[in-house]
Amino acid sequence: MTHSFQHSALAGACLAAISFSQASAFAQAVTTGVPTEIVITGNPLGRDQTTVPVSAMGRNDLLERGQSTLGETLNGLPGVSSTYFGPNASRPIIRGLDGDRIRVLHNSASSLDASALSYDHAVPLDVLSTDRIEVLRGPAALLYGGSAVGGVVNVIDNRIPREAMSGVLGKAQVQAGTGNDERSLAGLVEAGNERWALHVDGFDRRTGDVRVPVSLACDKTDETRFAKRICNSASESRGGAIGASTFWANGYLGASVNSYQSDYGTVAEDKVTIGMKTTRYALEGQLRQLPGWFESVKARLGHTDYQHTEFFNGGPETVFSNKGQDLRIEARHRPLSGWQGVLGVQADSSRFSAVGDEAFAPFSRTRSQALFVHEELPTTWGQVTAGARWESVRVESLGNPDLPSFDEGVGVKKFTPFSVAAGAVFKLSPTWSLTGNAAMTQRAPKDYELFANGPHLATNAWEIGHKDLGLEKSNSLDAGVQWKTGPDSLNVTAFASQFSNYIGLMNTLDVEDGLPVQLYQGVKARFYGLEASGRQRLWQNTSTLDFDWRADTVRATNESTGEALPRIAPMRLGATLVYGQGPWNAKLGADWHAAQKRVPEGSVATGAYTLVNASVSYRQKLDITVLQWFARLDNLTDQLAYSASSILTSTAFGKSPLPGRSFKLGVQASF
């Protein structure tokens, strides 16, 4: 991708909500118009030296590179690809791992939806209402559960203000695009004083069918037509939130409620659309400067009500619902023999149901409780981190009154995952450092991995769960080197993960109702790869010219069969020239994706391609208002390309090319 990102690593495996220093920096950036580099505070102690590889997209990155889905927004970060089920549904893939192995958080709290259940289910959020996204690559199970074995994505906003403010702040954004006829607008207002703060935001995004370089068949009206657009890829999304906090000398207490709605086409089926709605209520607070063993305590409580309906020809077919609560409490203790850290508890409860023709998973209830500890020891040569997490998980199948096929699997499964990890950073010099991490993680199977039994048209298969699945177990290592001097930097990380029981959806020779049968099974698997990025300043005078580069590769093997695992992104190489002069900034870059021919039987190989992108931005200050004008051109050469990590490439090849050439223009006003 053509953007450059700040790459930092964290000394622990916890992505926390915006810190107080971050809130101050945000306020300064809004009021002065000067972008402030915000230090990532991804561990509970807020340190800046790091062991775990992390990337961040701040406000300027999101303004320039934000897409309508989370996966496509993050696609191109080191080690991060996308599930890409068309332009409306896409989750991030980290180091070849997807689905429930990637934990998506909202302000460090659980984000409850149905996006991990099926590739055509969207993540219910939009970057128009987001301040920052942090991506932790590698095992993060210590603080967020075994489901975070691949990594953590933390979407951060200020809907619960965490620091007092003075006066009124706000922003408004308008943008339009040609590739999908996008028309979007968003805005927020914050007001307060030293005792209270109020936040209100809202957004609306509308898009049409996406343009592509090749003509595709479309049968929306019982008459097949051909056009250079992805049929049934239009969307309408809208949402908003209101939040408020009260502050005192040693803490704060805040609450928020936010709603997200989206109506979009599923692209794999010309006449199927999804209507989604989710509402989340959150309560958060912190007490500081406490007496006794603990310095501070932070708590978050949330309730989510998620539902989406799948329509065929405008009529409702299947309704998916997921409702749940999550509670998280972290207590930071005072130093003990040099060690500093946090102890915490977490509890989650959710109830899932699917009613209709495509209910391939039964009603279910999942409950989990966890205890975790994260510790850090600063040293003269760097820092050591260590931690552990114990969980109790209960997954219950409740059957389905309309579908007797689920009766046989009704029952309760209990699991007790345990995970440990340790890491270190060695400061070799003021400019060079080495990092290393080791982790043993365990993940409890999800409800659909245990109890699924039905047709799933998004994967074009009849999916069957395995109620006797055990814990998914893995051992992981990564090692990295970082160098930074002035504007120049270098980051290289090698990683490897060995699974003694990797739970995957495996092909069989059976057929059910004309669909190939796929069975959730545990196999031995191995993942390993390399991530690298850097910046070199080529010129500096009244203007600057930088050369940004990036590369990553991952190889994944089913060691039980010797075959490659499916949907693994190929080797990727990218470079961008970044020019800056005063209020102007311009970028021109290209990303090369190698051919992916290492695929299992039944998957489709993809060819190599190169995507060229360009952007320009201009910052204009008008009295107390700052205007940020931006324009970008994606896929400048209108290259025809197919994603190796998208299931559509194998199940609906004729409907799955990546978007063609697109021009986007917009402005953001801050005051």
Side-chain angles (χ1 to χ4, degrees), residues 211-291:
R211 290 183 174 88
V212 291
V214 63
S215 291
L216 303 177
C218 184
D219 182 17
K220 281 187 179 181
T221 59
D222 296 325
E223 178 184 348
T224 301
R225 300 181 181 180
F226 291 86
K228 289 189 174 183
R229 290 180 178 266
I230 300 178
C231 185
N232 197 30
S233 58
S235 69
E236 295 183 5
S237 301
R238 55 215 168 272
I242 182 169
S245 297
T246 182
F247 307 96
W248 57 91
N250 299 326
Y252 73 93
L253 178 65
S256 70
V257 56
N258 67 274
S259 177
Y260 175 91
Q261 299 181 60
S262 182
D263 301 288
Y264 63 92
T266 63
V267 307
E269 302 165 274
D270 294 348
K271 300 178 182 180
V272 175
T273 59
I274 288 179
M276 172 192 297
K277 181 177 181 180
T278 184
T279 303
R280 177 173 174 81
Y281 306 89
L283 181 68
E284 179 181 312
Q286 185 178 36
L287 295 174
R288 300 184 293 270
Q289 300 177 14
L290 298 175

Side-chain angles (χ1 to χ4, degrees), residues 190-516:
E190 295 180 332
N193 55 31
E194 70 279 0
R195 295 296 305 275
W196 62 269
L198 177 69
H199 171 104
V200 179
D201 72 62
F203 75 91
D204 186 276
R205 185 195 295 267
R206 300 172 187 270
T207 69
D209 287 345
V210 174
R211 290 183 174 88
V212 291
V214 63
S215 291
L216 303 177
C218 184
D219 182 17
K220 281 187 179 181
T221 59
D222 296 325
E223 178 184 348
T224 301
R225 300 181 181 180
F226 291 86
K228 289 189 174 183
R229 290 180 178 266
I230 300 178
C231 185
N232 197 30
S233 58
S235 69
E236 295 183 5
S237 301
R238 55 215 168 272
I242 182 169
S245 297
T246 182
F247 307 96
W248 57 91
N250 299 326
Y252 73 93
L253 178 65
S256 70
V257 56
N258 67 274
S259 177
Y260 175 91
Q261 299 181 60
S262 182
D263 301 288
Y264 63 92
T266 63
V267 307
E269 302 165 274
D270 294 348
K271 300 178 182 180
V272 175
T273 59
I274 288 179
M276 172 192 297
K277 181 177 181 180
T278 184
T279 303
R280 177 173 174 81
Y281 306 89
L283 181 68
E284 179 181 312
Q286 185 178 36
L287 295 174
R288 300 184 293 270
Q289 300 177 14
L290 298 175
W293 285 84
F294 295 103
E295 296 180 351
S296 63
V297 175
K298 178 185 289 186
R300 291 185 292 272
L301 175 65
H303 172 80
T304 303
D305 187 350
Y306 169 93
Q307 180 176 294
H308 84 248
T309 302
E310 298 185 357
F311 298 88
F312 180 79
N313 263 346
E317 292 282 317
T318 307
V319 179
F320 291 83
S321 176
N322 206 359
K323 299 180 181 180
Q325 299 78 35
D326 58 275
L327 171 66
R328 182 179 179 87
I329 302 174
E330 300 173 7
R332 177 171 178 169
H333 67 74
R334 286 187 162 79
L336 297 172
S337 301
W339 288 90
Q340 303 174 49
V342 297
L343 305 175
V345 297
Q346 185 173 347
D348 298 280
S349 175
S350 64
R351 185 164 182 143
F352 169 83
S353 66
V355 179
D357 294 339
E358 204 177 332
F360 60 93
F363 294 12
S364 64
R365 181 189 294 117
T366 302
R367 295 174 179 171
S368 66
Q369 300 83 37
L371 301 174
F372 60 85
V373 58
H374 171 85
E375 296 292 329
E376 299 180 4
L377 178 65
T379 68
T380 56
W381 46 262
Q383 181 173 284
V384 176
T385 67
R389 181 184 180 97
W390 173 87
E391 293 180 272
S392 174
V393 181
R394 184 179 188 273
V395 186
E396 180 181 7
S397 170
L398 304 174
N400 186 320
D402 299 324
L403 296 173
S405 59
F406 294 119
D407 291 345
E408 182 179 347
V410 170
V412 176
K413 301 292 292 184
K414 296 181 180 180
F415 306 92
T416 55
F418 179 72
S419 303
V420 294
V425 56
F426 302 88
K427 299 291 291 185
L428 303 179
S429 72
T431 58
W432 286 93
S433 64
L434 297 176
T435 61
N437 295 278
M440 184 279 290
T441 61
Q442 298 181 346
R443 180 181 74 90
K446 295 292 291 182
D447 50 355
Y448 55 87
E449 293 172 327
L450 294 166
F451 306 122
N453 186 13
H456 189 188
L457 298 184
T459 59
N460 192 41
W462 189 284
E463 296 185 5
I464 299 177
H466 195 319
K467 62 184 178 63
D468 294 324
L469 286 173
L471 291 171
E472 183 174 82
K473 300 178 180 180
S474 67
N475 296 310
S476 302
L477 292 171
D478 69 51
V481 58
Q482 292 87 39
W483 169 77
K484 183 172 178 59
T485 176
D488 301 330
S489 64
L490 169 71
N491 297 274
V492 180
T493 303
F495 63 89
S497 295
Q498 185 74 41
F499 287 80
S500 60
N501 187 42
Y502 176 87
I503 299 174
L505 194 58
M506 306 301 172
N507 292 326
T508 70
L509 299 178
D510 298 329
V511 175
E512 184 78 28
D513 279 1
L515 294 173

